[in-house]
Amino acid sequence: MARWRGFCLALAVAGALAPLAAAWADAPTKTSPTIPMHDGVRLAADVVLPGGAAKARVPALLVVTPYGRATRLSGRGVQAFVDAGLAVVLVDARGSGASQGHVLSIFSREERGDLGEVLAWIARQPWSDGRVVSTGVSYDGNLAALTLAAPGRVLAASAPRFIDFDTYRDLALPGGVRNEMLLKGWGALTDELNLAPACVADAAACAAAPNLERVDGDPDFGALRSALLEHQHNWRPYPDTQGYQFEDDVTPAGRALREGFLSTQLAALRASPAPVQLWGSWFDAGTADSALAWYQAAPAARMELYLGAWTHGGGARVDPFIRDTAEDEPGAPSPAPTFLDFVRRALGRPSAVTRVIHYYTAGAAVWRTTPVWPPAGIAPARWYFGPAGALSLTAPAAAGADRYAVDFTATTGKTNRWTTQLGGGPVDYGDRSGADAKLLTYTSAPLAHDIEITGAPAATLYLASTQPDGAVFVYLEAVAPDGHSTYLSEGELRLALRGASGKSPSFLRADMAPITPGERVEVEVPLHAVSAVVPRGDRLRIAIAGADADTFARYPETGNPTYTLSRSPAAPSHIDLPQADWTAPAGRTP
C-alpha cells in the first residue's frame, strides 16, 4: 500500500526480449499527454517510445499509480525497457498526481473503469502493436492485477508484485484486527501526496514535489493545480475508515470498501486468458498469502509465483536466520531478467507460461519449485500445549489450563512485516525472547533433526475470557540453544469475529458474536504462510498475546481481559504445523 521508492526492475538488462525487440538505433522519445476518459476526466501520462517505434509497432509496459508516475521507474529502468523494444506508459491514477477527478474509495469503480479505457487508448496509438503488459508493486500492483478484469483483449500479460488479494483480510484487518499503524500511516501519506497543499497554495512549490509531474502544454503548473483542486474531494483513507471494522462497511460516501478487492473480481480474473507472474514475501504483510490465495482460487490460470523473503517491494532480502546483507544464494530469481523473460514468453508464446510456484526457504537459503501447494511431502504435525509451558507431539492425558492476563504493552516492534508496507523499510524482529516474557509461551524440547515448515500453520485454541471481546495473536518462533528466539510467522483473530463454529471466522457486521465472559470457546487462528528450516538443536515456540501495541488496535477498547487456555484431553489447545524432515538439496547443507 505504501509509496514505492524504486522499481527493482530498474536493473533490467537491455536486449533481454530478443528476438522480439529490434535494434533501436535512434534515441527514445518522451511525451506527457493526457488520456481522456468517458466522463471527461483526463489522466496524466508519460509515454516513452523506443527510437524507431514509428517504423515498427511495439508492445507497451503499463504502470498505473496513485503515488506519482515520475516515481515509478528510474531513468535507467525506462532506458532498459525501451532498449528491449517496449514502450513505457506511466499513468497517474484518477484523483492523484496531475490526473483530474477524485475517488471515493480504495480501488474505486472509477479507477477500475479507467484501466480498460487506458488499455484501449494504448491500442489505438500509431506506435502500438495492440499488446500491453501491466505491472506494479503494492497499490500499483493491485491496479495491474485489476487490468485482467478490464474488457477487451488488449492485455497480453500482467506481473503484479506484493499485492493484497483481499485487502481487508491480508492487510487492513487481518483476522478482523484493525491494523491501526498501517491505516494511519498510509492515510497520512496518501493525503500528503494527493492533496499537495503546498503546490495548491503556491505554484513555485510544485516543482519540488517528486510525485507531481506536469503534462505537455502546462508550463506554469496551472493544469496541475486545477487537478489538485479536484483531488480535495477524494476520500480520506484514515479519517474515513476510523470506524472500519467489518468487511461490509462502507465509506461516508456510501461506497462498499471491498468492492474493488481482487477477491471480489475473481470471476473476471479466472476468465482472463492473460498469463500472470505474481510476487510475494513471507515477511511482507500477507503478500505471500495473497499470491497463494489467487493461485488456488484460479486453478486454470497460467500463473507463475515467486514467493521469497523480502521487504515490501523486494528491495532487500529478509531471512531471519541470516544476520547479514548478503545477496540471495546462486539460483535465486533476479527480478529484472526474470520479469523480462516472462514478458518475452507471454508475448511470444503465452502457452510457455505454465502454473508453477518458485519459493524460497529461509534458514536453508534455497529456492525450489512446485506446481501444488503445500508442496509434496509436507504434512501437518500436531503440536500440543502442555503443562509448565511445554510444546510436544503428545496429546494431553490430564486436564489442565493456563491463565494469561493480557499485557497491552506487548509489541512486535516498529520494523515488522506490517511496517515494511510503508516504504519498503527493513523487517527485523530481533531476539524475541525479551518480548516473549510478556506472553504466554509453549516451547518444545530441542529438535533431534532439521525440520522444514512450509505452508500456513493453524492454531486451535480452547479459551475463555473475562471480557466479551478481545484479540489473540499467535507467534511461531525458533529458539536457538543460546536462547535467541527467531520470529517465523504469526496469526491474528478478533474473538468477537470468530464465527459460529470458531473454525470459519465471519467478518460481516451481522455475524459479530461477543463472548460470554467465562464461557469456553473454540477458535482457529490461521498463521501466515512461511517456508523455513528450523535446525537441529533449536526448539519450537508458540507465543500467545492479546495485543501488539505498536501496530494493531486495542481489543477491547476498555477493560483488561484475562484468558484461560485449556489443555485438557477434551479441549486440547494445539497448533498444526505443515512440516517435513529437511533434506538439503544435493551439494547443499542447511
Side-chain angles (χ1 to χ4, degrees):
M1 300 296 295
R3 183 181 179 187
W4 181 30
R5 297 184 300 180
F7 202 169
C8 51
L9 301 184
L11 300 179
V13 178
L17 284 177
L20 291 177
W24 306 106
D26 299 333
T29 59
K30 175 186 174 182
T31 57
S32 296
T34 58
I35 303 174
M37 301 293 104
H38 74 279
D39 59 358
V41 167
R42 302 188 74 90
L43 304 185
D46 286 343
V47 178
V48 185
L49 302 178
K55 305 172 187 176
R57 296 186 175 216
V58 295
L61 176 75
L62 171 65
V63 179
V64 182
T65 179
Y67 301 127
R69 68 191 194 278
T71 68
R72 296 303 86 189
L73 286 173
S74 69
R76 183 182 175 191
V78 171
Q79 185 65 52
F81 287 123
V82 296
D83 284 348
L86 288 167
V88 175
V89 182
L90 308 176
V91 180
D92 287 331
R94 177 184 293 250
S96 73
S99 286
Q100 298 172 349
H102 64 279
V103 292
L104 298 176
S105 64
I106 189 171
F107 311 129
S108 68
R109 66 191 68 155
E110 291 82 7
E111 283 180 284
R112 301 196 310 276
D114 291 345
L115 297 173
E117 296 194 57
V118 169
L119 291 172
W121 180 87
I122 292 173
R124 292 194 302 269
Q125 301 311 298
W127 47 262
S128 171
D129 73 356
R131 296 178 298 172
V132 177
V133 177
S134 63
T135 191
V137 165
S138 200
Y139 198 119
D140 306 0
N142 276 65
L143 293 178
L146 287 166
T147 60
L148 292 158
R153 289 293 180 260
V154 175
L155 189 73
S158 183
R161 292 168 178 253
F162 308 95
I163 64 166
D164 319 304
F165 187 66
D166 185 315
T167 305
Y168 180 101
R169 299 181 182 218
D170 297 333
L171 182 61
L173 285 93
V177 182
R178 180 180 166 86
N179 191 336
E180 188 72 12
M181 175 279 304
L182 188 284
L183 290 169
K184 188 173 185 178
W186 180 69
L189 172 65
T190 299
D191 285 349
E192 176 188 354
L193 295 177
N194 293 343
L195 304 182
C199 179
V200 171
D202 184 359
C206 298
N211 67 302
L212 299 178
E213 182 177 3
R214 290 171 290 185
V215 296
D216 294 340
D218 186 25
D220 60 358
F221 294 99
L224 170 62
R225 297 173 75 205
S226 178
L228 292 176
L229 292 178
E230 297 184 40
H231 301 175
Q232 309 307 307
H233 301 289
N234 278 358
W235 81 302
R236 306 270 315 276
Y238 186 63
D240 289 355
T241 62
Q242 285 189 301
Y244 189 24
Q245 298 185 69
F246 306 101
E247 281 188 317
D248 50 350
D249 279 346
V250 299
T251 69
R255 294 292 182 89
L257 280 160
R258 63 178 175 175
E259 71 172 21
F261 295 176
L262 291 175
S263 56
T264 69
Q265 309 296 315
L266 185 55
L269 297 180
R270 286 173 173 164
S272 173
V276 175
Q277 186 185 81
L278 191 57
W279 293 61
S281 168
W282 306 128
F283 303 105
D284 171 25
T287 59
D289 305 286
S290 290
L292 289 166
W294 185 353
Y295 188 87
Q296 293 172 319
R302 292 197 300 275
M303 180 180 292
E304 54 188 37
L305 269 56
Y306 287 87
L307 305 178
W310 295 298
T311 56
H312 187 52
R317 184 174 63 166
V318 179
D319 186 325
F321 290 103
I322 299 176
R323 293 293 172 184
D324 57 36
T325 57
E327 296 297 323
D328 282 338
E329 293 289 319
S334 179
T338 300
F339 170 77
L340 287 173
D341 174 69
F342 166 73
V343 174
R344 176 184 57 79
R345 287 180 285 124
L347 293 178
R349 189 162 61 92
S351 61
V353 179
T354 58
R355 287 179 63 81
V356 66
I357 300 171
H358 306 273
Y359 66 100
Y360 176 89
T361 299
V366 297
W367 283 87
R368 290 174 291 171
T369 62
T370 176
V372 298
W373 194 263
I378 298 293
R382 180 157 294 179
W383 293 80
Y384 294 93
F385 305 160
L391 180 69
S392 76
L393 295 168
T394 303
D402 296 306
R403 289 170 60 83
Y404 172 64
V406 172
D407 188 331
F408 284 102
T409 69
T411 180
T412 55
K414 298 183 179 181
T415 53
N416 61 29
R417 68 187 302 137
W418 309 104
T419 60
T420 191
Q421 285 269 319
L422 295 176
V427 177
D428 186 0
Y429 286 81
D431 180 359
R432 290 283 298 163
S433 59
D436 287 347
K438 297 182 177 182
L439 311 183
L440 177 63
T441 62
Y442 299 91
T443 308
S444 74
L447 299 176
H449 46 77
D450 301 337
I451 289 179
E452 174 190 353
I453 299 172
T454 295
T460 299
L461 309 180
Y462 296 88
L463 62 80
S465 176
T466 58
Q467 297 285 331
D469 199 3
V472 173
F473 299 82
V474 179
Y475 302 104
L476 171 64
E477 301 169 7
V479 184
D482 64 1
H484 185 286
S485 191
T486 298
Y487 169 99
L488 297 179
S489 185
E490 71 182 67
E492 310 82 15
L493 180 67
R494 183 178 175 186
L495 294 175
L497 301 181
R498 68 195 181 280
S501 68
K503 292 184 176 294
S504 181
S506 174
F507 304 114
L508 302 180
R509 183 175 291 273
D511 292 337
M512 184 177 181
I515 292 175
T516 300
E519 176 186 354
R520 189 176 70 198
V521 296
E522 177 186 0
V523 296
E524 183 172 298
V525 184
L527 277 66
H528 301 287
V530 69
S531 183
V533 171
V534 182
R536 178 169 57 93
D538 276 21
R539 294 170 292 157
L540 296 173
R541 173 173 291 167
I542 302 302
I544 298 173
D548 185 351
D550 289 308
T551 301
F552 291 98
R554 187 191 200 277
Y555 298 92
E557 292 184 4
T558 60
N560 296 290
T562 294
Y563 299 155
T564 300
L565 190 72
S566 172
R567 43 178 177 77
S568 68
S573 297
H574 60 269
I575 187 165
D576 293 319
L577 296 182
Q579 68 179 67
D581 292 347
W582 170 251
T583 301
R588 299 293 303 276
T589 57

